Amino acid sequence: MAARAVLTYDGGLMTVDTGTGEVTSTEADGFLRLNNAGDGRHLLVSAGQEFRLFDSGLIVEGHGDHHHYYEQAPALTGPAVEAAEAGHVVAHEGRTALFADGTGTITVLDSAAFSDGEITADEVEEHAADAAHHGVAVPLSSGDLLLTQGTADSRNTVQVQSPGGEVLAETTDCPGVHGVAAAMPTPVGDVITLGCENGPVIYRDGTFHKVPVAEAYQRSGNQAGSQASPIVLTDYKSDPDAEQERPTRIGLIDTRTSSMTTVDLSSAYWFRSLARGAAGEAIVLTGDGELNILNEETGEIIHEVKIVAPWEEPQEWQSPAPAVKVGSDGLAYVTEPAARKLHVVDVAAGTILSSFDLPETPVELTVVTGEAETSGPARKG
């Protein structure tokens, strides 16, 4: 069963069957953001004051020692989850957290709760930050919840709370906290990194660890993790006065040692440029049109795949520009809005497998394969 790529455009969503190239369009109003629900089939679409449920149409049913695979037409289905200023969605270890920026409300569900196309009240676990802010929450395998705290004007605190709301761990040394990723867990539990404006922080072994950086200002607000690797890929911004910084360096956080190295790719990238391969490879799509595939441990470039025409980050982040996502099938999917194309790359081989024409100019991208995303790929080490 081929993966399905789901893309937004001005006027709705496109679903591409990456086996046949067939495109199905679904009309929807407003600027839409895409989030994997965690079950490998559904998406949660951030749409203003709600999260809308989108069924990609890929169905995998387990039967003893094998699975049955089915396909149906994609569609927006089921009731929406109300959320003032619907923001970040994080699926982790079988649970999915939805953050409402307008209230600080956090809705946590089992990632399989979407399988019947409905979300019932008894499946919903409600939490709340102390105040409304642009935040994020991560359900931990222990049953606890990692969440940010702040206000609309500032935020610098990250906490881990028990199901009853007791604060189990906290750091206040994360100004401008934004961006989160999960890395390979330790025997003690989850490893989570977050971006700050003075170097990242890591939650590991029940406590927070600061990552030292050379600059007074260092923002890693966009992160890509893999449970196959203890290394987290981040963007690396270091100019506090830049109106629109276009960095060429990336950061590689080693969560084992609370340290970070940088790699200069000699070409700028943006927040939709970062992804991870099935074996943990660091993947960065740069403005020179290349998909850079790196060994995340050494920073060595394994493959440079010329994939799209040269491009530059737009002034408005909502505008179309190339994006990359990697599915649980280990393939990288890359949009080329200027040409209205979707490309598919074999990450391990560094080769282009196929390219598909699109009827509309794509903006956001995500990929579903039918396999749940929350357990992560096979782990190294």
Side-chain angles (χ1 to χ4, degrees):
M1 185 167 63
R4 288 187 173 181
V6 183
L7 310 97
T8 64
Y9 65 94
D10 186 8
L13 302 98
M14 297 180 285
T15 304
V16 181
D17 183 317
T18 62
T20 65
E22 180 183 357
V23 179
T24 304
S25 296
T26 305
E27 293 185 359
D29 296 328
F31 182 75
L32 308 174
R33 306 214 65 190
L34 301 178
N35 313 277
N36 291 70
D39 64 355
R41 172 180 170 181
H42 291 90
L43 305 180
L44 289 160
V45 182
S46 302
Q49 305 306 306
E50 62 184 8
F51 291 98
R52 301 187 67 183
L53 188 62
F54 182 80
D55 187 347
S56 72
L58 288 185
I59 304 168
V60 179
E61 293 184 356
H63 288 269
D65 60 352
H66 65 284
H67 292 81
H68 291 175
Y69 300 89
Y70 307 93
E71 297 181 4
Q72 64 185 30
L76 286 163
T77 63
V81 177
E82 294 185 7
E85 299 177 31
H88 286 292
V89 173
V90 176
H92 181 65
E93 294 293 340
R95 295 193 298 159
T96 304
L98 294 65
F99 200 100
D101 291 351
T103 58
T105 301
I106 302 161
T107 302
V108 180
L109 307 95
D110 189 300
S111 298
F114 311 100
S115 61
D116 58 3
E118 298 182 359
I119 302 170
T120 59
D122 61 349
E123 295 175 311
V124 176
E125 181 182 309
E126 294 284 359
H127 301 264
D130 294 341
H133 67 284
H134 181 56
V136 69
V138 182
L140 301 179
S141 58
S142 61
D144 303 322
L145 184 70
L146 182 146
L147 71 158
T148 58
Q149 296 281 13
T151 67
D153 298 321
S154 75
R155 54 189 191 272
N156 59 14
T157 299
V158 188
Q159 296 177 337
V160 172
Q161 294 185 2
S162 70
E166 178 188 0
V167 176
L168 305 176
E170 179 181 80
T171 178
T172 59
D173 190 16
C174 192
V177 55
H178 187 276
V180 66
M184 178 189 289
T186 71
V188 175
D190 303 295
V191 175
I192 309 294
T193 64
L194 300 104
C196 317
E197 293 178 353
N198 63 348
V201 295
I202 302 168
Y203 176 72
R204 185 188 72 241
D205 298 340
T207 190
F208 287 97
H209 307 263
K210 192 69 177 175
V211 177
V213 293
E215 304 89 349
Y217 173 88
Q218 192 286 307
R219 186 177 189 272
S220 296
N222 300 285
Q223 308 194 354
S226 166
Q227 289 195 327
S229 171
I231 309 298
V232 171
L233 167 66
T234 78
D235 59 350
Y236 200 97
K237 294 185 176 181
S238 56
D239 183 357
D241 301 318
E243 183 175 336
Q244 186 174 29
E245 188 173 359
R246 294 188 170 100
T248 61
R249 285 189 297 167
I250 57 166
L252 296 171
I253 302 172
D254 190 328
T255 62
R256 298 164 297 189
T257 59
S258 302
S259 62
M260 180 162 55
T261 59
T262 63
V263 178
D264 197 325
L265 299 174
S266 302
S267 182
Y269 57 91
W270 76 323
F271 76 100
R272 292 194 178 109
S273 291
L274 309 180
R276 300 300 294 274
E281 304 99 328
I283 299 174
V284 187
L285 179 63
T286 46
D288 57 6
E290 291 188 344
L291 190 68
N292 301 269
I293 302 170
L294 295 84
N295 180 306
E296 81 282 12
E297 292 272 2
T298 65
E300 176 188 2
I301 294 179
I302 305 169
H303 300 295
E304 292 175 300
V305 185
K306 185 65 179 178
I307 188 73
V308 299
W311 57 279
E312 186 175 79
E313 178 182 356
Q315 291 292 325
E316 299 292 334
W317 68 267
Q318 298 94 334
S319 300
V324 58
K325 290 286 184 180
V326 174
S328 59
D329 55 7
L331 302 179
Y333 298 81
V334 179
T335 60
E336 187 172 8
R340 287 188 175 180
K341 286 187 177 293
L342 172 70
H343 307 285
V344 185
V345 176
D346 184 322
V347 172
T351 57
I352 300 172
L353 298 178
S354 53
S355 296
F356 302 105
D357 293 320
L358 302 172
E360 305 285 348
T361 301
V363 181
E364 292 224 334
L365 162 71
T366 196
V367 177
V368 290
T369 64
E371 296 183 15
E373 301 106 358
T374 59
S375 59
R379 295 171 184 170
K380 293 179 181 175

